[in-house]
Amino acid sequence: MDEKSMKTSLWQRIAILAAAVLLIGGTLLTYVIVVLNGSSTDEREDLVNQLSAEYTAKGNEINAYAEKLSEKYFNDFVGYKSQVKAYNSANANAAGLETTDLKVGTGKELAEDSTDYMAYYIGWCADGKIFDSSFNDTENPTSLKSPLVGSSSMIEGWIQGIVGMKIGGVRQLTISGPLAYGDTDKAEQVCGKNAPLKFVVWMLEPDADLVKLNQELNDIDMQLLYAIYGGTI
């Protein structure tokens, strides 16, 4: 699971970053604003195209790296797909948050504010339908996509549910609707408003190279945001 939206398109990512950029200062962003405010429409369009190409190239680089990680972790994780079963929605909502350790890790223990991890995951609805996962194909997976990198913007049930896990561990989370997406529009896109969710999450030590690649992708995101809006939001 990704962040709250689990996976985001380029434009969704841009919209999310817009709020964050309001709080970020620095000479690089100041420079970009000044340059773009004085640039022509053609120059700005060229910059947007250039950054879009860089974004795509960096995404491809991340995907290639993810394939190497998949070779290492796929066989160990694919077996947990058997945990995906239909469950009672009313009971899950009434319980609030339930956790079951499927494998106890041996690494450091995660606290409520922990983001120093990467995770493979499976998320499904009460009817047993997988709405998102780290698998390349939810029906017949053959590999893993790039693991989720820890973030403070996860749904509340995820943030609370991983507390006490140790790196290397696998845990099943049952999360009530209010601790998931509530009655938001996003909930309608997942399992429905106020619908509970279940996850299997495998917490791993973050891969330094993957973290670096993701940071580089985020940097391009930020530059692209400013290029599109011409230094204004």
Side-chain angles (χ1 to χ4, degrees):
M1 168 170 183
D2 69 61
E3 306 170 32
K4 282 192 175 182
S5 59
M6 306 299 295
K7 293 189 296 184
T8 56
S9 67
L10 170 59
W11 297 108
Q12 289 173 322
R13 194 184 282 265
I14 288 171
I16 293 169
L17 283 170
V21 168
L22 290 173
L23 303 177
I24 299 175
T27 56
L28 174 61
L29 297 182
T30 302
Y31 173 78
V32 172
I33 292 172
V34 172
V35 170
L36 289 175
N37 279 337
S39 64
S40 68
T41 301
D42 288 343
E43 290 172 336
R44 186 174 299 165
E45 183 176 348
D46 288 344
L47 181 57
V48 169
N49 291 336
Q50 174 190 330
L51 291 171
S52 295
E54 290 179 11
Y55 181 92
T56 299
K58 187 61 63 176
N60 291 337
E61 191 175 351
I62 289 174
N63 290 337
Y65 194 84
E67 290 181 8
K68 296 179 181 179
L69 293 178
S70 176
E71 293 173 2
K72 181 178 181 180
Y73 294 116
F74 175 76
N75 288 336
D76 288 328
F77 189 63
V78 70
Y80 290 104
K81 190 173 180 290
S82 64
Q83 297 294 320
V84 178
K85 301 173 183 177
Y87 55 93
N88 186 286
S89 178
N91 290 345
N93 269 336
L97 175 66
E98 293 182 316
T99 64
T100 302
D101 285 316
L102 305 177
K103 175 185 176 182
V104 177
T106 58
K108 66 182 178 183
E109 186 172 306
L110 300 176
E112 186 168 344
D113 59 350
S114 295
T115 58
D116 189 21
Y117 63 82
M118 68 180 192
Y120 289 114
Y121 65 91
I122 312 168
W124 68 99
C125 306
D127 62 2
K129 180 181 178 181
I130 295 176
F131 64 85
D132 193 18
S133 77
S134 296
F135 295 128
N136 66 324
D137 185 299
T138 56
E139 294 298 325
N140 299 293
T142 57
S143 66
L144 295 168
K145 297 180 289 188
S146 183
L148 180 149
V149 176
S151 167
S152 60
S153 63
M154 305 300 293
I155 58 174
E156 187 61 29
W158 176 291
I159 292 173
Q160 294 181 21
I162 67 172
V163 173
M165 285 189 73
K166 293 183 178 180
I167 293 295
V170 182
R171 179 175 286 186
Q172 180 172 295
L173 311 177
T174 304
I175 302 171
S176 66
L179 293 177
Y181 296 105
D183 61 357
T184 63
D185 290 339
K186 178 61 183 177
E188 288 283 19
Q189 300 169 24
V190 181
C191 297
K193 289 190 175 182
N194 293 310
L197 310 177
K198 276 200 175 191
F199 290 95
V200 166
V201 296
W202 185 16
M203 293 297 174
L204 296 166
E205 193 72 31
D207 184 283
D209 291 331
L210 180 64
V211 170
K212 181 175 182 292
L213 287 170
N214 275 281
Q215 183 57 58
E216 290 169 351
L217 184 69
N218 289 338
D219 290 343
I220 296 171
D221 265 340
M222 191 171 297
Q223 294 175 56
L224 185 55
L225 170 66
Y226 273 87
I228 290 172
Y229 289 100
T232 60
I233 300 176

